[in-house]
Amino acid sequence: MRPVRKWLTVLLAVACLLALTVPPSAADPLDLTVKPIPLFRDDLSRTEIGRLIWRGGLDLTSSDRRFGGLSALAIRPDGKEITAFSDHGFWVVMTPDYRDGKLVGISKAELGVLADERGHPLERSSQRDAESVAVGVDGAMIVAFERNHRLWAYPPGQVLPSVIPPPDEIGDAPSNGGIEALTLLQNGKLFAVTEDFGRGDSVVGWISDRKGWDVVTIRTSGTFKPTGAATLSGGDVLLLERRFGLRGGIGSRIRRLSQDSIRAGAVIDGPEIARLDAGATFDNMEGIGTWVTEDGRQMVYLVSDDNYSALQRTYLMLFEMAVD
């Protein structure tokens, strides 16, 4: 790693630590019921799927009816705090418990409400549909919303968001097909990917710069659509995708996008590194986050959006990236 990139990584890590210890509004204690889950229910000895190694998972439920719909994840760089955002305008901060390098429980959880520019809680469905989050260089939590497409940044310790001018083209995106994946690249730029805004086997994305946004194209295949993104310590991006329909069935996969391919005007593609489908434990996987252990192991969190449905689950799943 070059010295400049190394110091940039350190600065971003410090910013993330500051941001993820100061949620955007006052919180209520959240009572969570936590049950461990296996990667494969019919074969408990299986611990690998593609390039990912199983490090534990939890089925999360709560008597608090506000809990659920988790669509975005931000992980503190040391893995000791998880912030999730729901598509009903709530945020949840969880303190995970680890044992022998595995996720075994949640020791503490809090829930709060996202506010608008005037400090009012987000209540209308058209306003509260938070779908993705990235932690900015300044430590702000940058949240992308669908339906009323917009980007709001919540600075550390502040309730009121500041407005980030979105890409000009986002106004043409479907109501439920806007920015579904958002991550901060190692060069300090934002990388945004839509779920269902494009033609054929591709969707529209953008890379931020000082003048605004540059358009990129992200290749897709089959019926998989992007649902989340996270940047690895080396600079590559993990793109989480979901498939849901009669053609192809239900499933999720993760692709790895080279950092060198993510540039203005590019057509971006990348290999699949893992797939969750028939036989594996999974649900409507929408959020992804990454962190690195003290001994240098790259960890990946996934979370599912239960859509506030009794027929779906909120799964929090932890994996380790296999060493190349």
Side-chain angles (χ1 to χ4, degrees):
M1 181 180 292
R2 290 178 295 180
V4 172
R5 182 175 295 173
K6 180 179 179 181
W7 280 112
L8 178 59
T9 301
V10 171
L11 290 173
L12 292 179
V14 172
C16 291
L17 278 168
L18 291 173
L20 297 181
T21 55
V22 186
S25 67
D28 297 324
L30 177 65
D31 182 24
L32 284 179
T33 299
V34 178
K35 296 180 180 180
I37 55 174
L39 180 58
F40 291 93
R41 299 184 186 277
D42 59 352
D43 187 353
L44 302 183
S45 65
R46 290 187 63 181
T47 60
E48 295 186 13
I49 188 162
R51 301 294 297 163
L52 299 181
I53 304 169
W54 181 243
R55 292 294 181 249
L58 305 172
D59 182 352
L60 306 178
T61 57
S62 177
S63 59
D64 191 324
R65 298 181 63 182
R66 297 174 298 174
F67 177 74
L70 304 185
S71 300
L73 279 182
I75 314 299
R76 208 168 77 174
D78 59 6
K80 294 182 179 179
E81 190 169 273
I82 301 167
T83 302
F85 292 83
S86 88
D87 49 23
H88 279 199
F90 302 112
W91 57 262
V92 177
V93 174
M94 298 175 281
T95 302
D97 287 336
Y98 302 106
R99 185 182 304 136
D100 298 326
K102 297 180 180 179
L103 176 66
V104 296
I106 301 292
S107 62
K108 179 183 178 182
E110 297 178 323
L111 184 146
V113 184
L114 288 171
D116 63 17
E117 306 101 313
R118 295 175 296 175
H120 298 157
L122 301 183
E123 296 179 345
R124 290 184 296 167
S125 59
S126 61
Q127 294 289 321
R128 64 188 186 186
D129 191 3
E131 290 292 344
S132 53
V133 63
V135 181
V137 175
D138 61 352
M141 288 193 180
I142 303 169
V143 182
F145 295 85
E146 284 189 330
R147 302 185 191 278
N148 178 3
H149 299 302
R150 66 198 189 281
L151 291 165
W152 282 357
Y154 291 87
Q158 297 187 30
V159 174
L160 302 182
S162 60
V163 176
I164 296 178
D168 292 337
E169 300 84 1
I170 194 61
D172 296 324
S175 173
N176 199 34
I179 297 175
E180 189 84 11
L182 185 69
T183 189
L184 185 74
L185 302 175
Q186 280 201 344
N187 59 13
K189 296 182 178 183
L190 288 171
F191 177 43
V193 182
T194 60
E195 178 185 11
D196 194 20
F197 179 37
R199 295 180 179 179
D201 290 336
S202 66
V203 294
V204 174
W206 299 271
I207 303 170
S208 68
D209 62 27
R210 293 181 179 179
K211 297 180 180 179
W213 299 85
D214 292 310
V215 176
V216 295
T217 300
I218 297 89
R219 292 289 190 196
T220 59
S221 62
T223 54
F224 281 103
K225 299 294 183 180
T227 60
T231 302
L232 295 169
S233 59
D236 289 353
V237 169
L238 295 183
L239 186 65
L240 176 63
E241 298 177 317
R242 170 187 57 203
R243 179 179 63 194
F244 186 85
L246 296 177
R247 185 168 66 92
I250 302 172
S252 293
R253 71 176 183 180
I254 299 174
R255 290 194 294 146
R256 184 168 184 164
L257 310 180
S258 167
Q259 63 176 328
D260 294 332
S261 71
I262 304 174
R263 60 186 187 278
V267 177
I268 304 170
D269 203 349
E272 178 181 308
I273 66 165
R275 181 177 295 202
L276 296 166
D277 53 16
T281 299
F282 73 99
D283 204 281
N284 178 32
M285 313 310 296
E286 287 209 12
I288 184 170
T290 60
W291 60 286
V292 179
T293 64
E294 291 182 353
D295 57 0
R297 291 177 292 122
Q298 178 72 68
M299 311 300 288
V300 180
Y301 264 112
L302 300 179
V303 74
S304 63
D305 175 0
D306 68 351
N307 290 306
Y308 290 90
S309 168
L311 301 177
Q312 293 180 258
R313 312 303 302 172
T314 299
Y315 290 145
L316 181 66
M317 307 169 74
L318 179 63
F319 296 90
E320 179 183 341
M321 291 278 292
V323 178
D324 294 328

